[in-house]
Amino acid sequence: MSQLSIQHLSKAFGHTAILRDINLEVEQGSFLTLLGPSGCGKTTLLRIIAGLEQADQGRIQAGERAFVDCAAGVELPVQQRRLGFVFQDYGLWPHMSVADNVAFPLQMARVRRHDIAVRVREVLTAVRLQQHADKLPEKLSGGQKQRVSIARALAAKPGLILFDEPLSNLDANLREELGQEIRLLSKQLGLTCINVTHDRREAQILSDQIALMKDGLCHQLGAPEQLFRAPVDLWAARFLDAGNILPAATVMGEPQGTAQQVLVPRGAFRLAEDAPLQAAVISSLYIEDRYEVTASLDGHLVKVFTHQLLQQGQPIRLAVDHQQVLSYTAD
């Protein structure tokens, strides 16, 4: 069942189109990420959903309620949309304790004191911060501060939670750890979430669906594995860093119909002594549990995974799993 339906949404600033006929369905309990480069319109779309910007055309329906209906003149105020917000800079009040930060929106909503105390305990337990309830934000790590922000967003039991690059202020290890925690929490609590980011890794960790945006359009929509295994075109393949983009003749040995370039995933290359493609090693880096080798193949840089250390300048021969290769026409 759709929790949020975005229909024919458009927005311009002056003569510059920022969003152009956006159509998206966000299923209840799912996690959607708006992914794309700066200026693609993803943040503007999030702000329109939140009620912080107004669309020029289109409609946003949340369950039985219309957030936005430009044709009918409907623009539901922010406070009536029942949304939770998680910001990249945490947005915590430094003079308030963790518990008071979480309680504040409930106090503004005039919830009874006893009910506030119960709800604050519930959400701090959910994000594993109950033992830090009396601390000031300055005593917390970056990851803990973001957990407080998540707890505050959960406090009022919103129908939808909006994330604005929630992991960008954290170091790499903590970013991945907290990302996995956010996804697990969203599934445990049945939350419907929309996230904005330009970080491919963050989108993969968090999302059930990714809307890849370009120039105000939804360029490609799908599950993370769909986007990264089958980018819709060369621009998407490059932005997603989905693999090696090479001339078709270099890999296939002969022209492939109208295809001029191919995408070869890093894992589609295999080192073999009798393989047909000859390359030379440029670098060999040990990353996680394998070596990532950069090599020169017919004058083109390629990246290959292997479990053996290779030396700079070492000649290698490469075989390709052609079933994993995708063909594209030129840009």
Side-chain angles (χ1 to χ4, degrees):
M1 182 174 65
S2 179
Q3 176 78 17
L4 191 78
S5 177
I6 301 172
Q7 303 163 14
H8 304 294
L9 201 73
S10 296
K11 172 69 176 178
F13 291 116
H15 297 293
T16 303
I18 305 300
L19 296 172
R20 297 184 284 169
D21 198 31
I22 298 292
N23 293 275
L24 287 171
E25 299 288 331
V26 185
E27 297 301 313
Q28 187 171 352
S30 69
F31 205 121
L32 170 72
T33 289
L34 307 174
L35 173 67
S38 297
C40 70
K42 59 186 186 296
T43 299
T44 299
L45 177 54
L46 193 77
R47 289 176 60 82
I48 290 174
I49 295 169
L52 302 176
E53 295 280 358
Q54 291 190 1
D56 297 329
Q57 297 177 3
R59 178 181 174 86
I60 301 177
Q61 184 82 16
E64 299 299 320
R65 299 184 303 154
F67 280 6
V68 175
D69 189 335
C70 292
V74 173
E75 183 72 32
L76 199 67
V78 176
Q79 62 272 19
Q80 295 181 25
R81 298 194 184 196
R82 290 191 58 244
L83 302 175
F85 299 88
V86 179
F87 303 102
Q88 65 183 76
D89 61 355
Y90 318 129
L92 303 180
W93 289 280
H95 63 287
M96 292 185 181
S97 69
V98 166
D100 288 341
N101 266 279
V102 175
F104 186 75
L106 297 176
Q107 293 167 350
M108 293 297 98
R110 300 186 182 278
V111 176
R112 292 189 307 171
R113 183 177 300 179
H114 174 266
D115 293 339
I116 291 175
V118 171
R119 185 58 180 162
V120 169
R121 282 197 300 271
E122 288 176 348
V123 295
L124 288 180
T125 298
V127 299
R128 299 187 291 112
L129 284 177
Q130 61 272 32
Q131 71 273 29
H132 300 288
D134 296 327
K135 291 183 179 178
L136 292 175
E138 65 180 17
K139 300 296 183 181
L140 304 179
S141 67
Q144 289 171 332
K145 289 177 183 177
Q146 194 58 288
R147 286 191 184 94
V148 177
S149 182
I150 293 168
R152 185 177 57 193
L154 292 173
K157 299 182 180 180
L160 179 69
I161 296 184
L162 307 180
F163 291 85
D164 182 11
E165 302 200 58
L167 308 180
S168 62
N169 282 342
L170 307 175
D171 63 50
N173 290 336
L174 189 55
R175 187 182 304 139
E176 184 151 333
E177 177 186 336
L178 185 57
Q180 292 175 358
E181 289 184 15
I182 290 173
R183 178 163 176 80
L184 180 60
L185 185 66
S186 74
K187 295 308 172 189
Q188 288 175 338
L189 300 179
L191 305 175
T192 305
C193 305
I194 299 177
N195 177 44
V196 159
T197 187
H198 63 276
D199 187 280
R200 298 179 293 268
R201 180 77 171 171
E202 178 181 323
Q204 287 178 296
I205 291 170
L206 291 174
S207 311
D208 297 305
Q209 294 275 298
I210 297 174
L212 178 60
M213 297 189 64
K214 177 189 179 188
D215 298 333
L217 296 169
C218 183
H219 193 70
Q220 186 174 2
L221 175 68
E225 58 269 26
Q226 293 174 318
L227 265 69
F228 284 83
R229 288 179 178 174
V232 69
D233 57 16
L234 288 172
W235 178 87
R238 291 190 184 100
F239 181 82
L240 296 170
D241 192 22
N244 302 286
I245 298 173
L246 299 164
T250 296
V251 177
M252 313 303 284
E254 58 185 28
Q256 300 294 305
T258 60
Q260 297 174 309
Q261 292 184 289
V262 293
L263 172 67
V264 185
R266 297 168 185 84
F269 276 122
R270 176 176 56 85
L271 272 68
E273 292 182 1
D274 59 348
L277 303 178
Q278 184 169 331
V281 174
I282 295 175
S283 66
S284 185
L285 303 175
Y286 191 75
I287 299 176
E288 295 179 347
D289 61 345
R290 61 193 174 186
Y291 290 96
E292 185 175 290
V293 175
T294 301
S296 176
L297 172 63
D298 195 25
H300 303 281
L301 294 182
V302 296
K303 289 188 177 180
V304 182
F305 294 143
T306 179
H307 290 288
Q308 62 187 99
L309 175 63
L310 303 177
Q311 301 300 320
Q312 184 177 4
Q314 178 179 341
I316 55 174
R317 302 194 74 88
L318 299 172
V320 178
D321 180 356
H322 286 188
Q323 291 186 341
Q324 297 186 51
V325 174
L326 297 177
S327 298
Y328 298 95
T329 55
D331 289 329

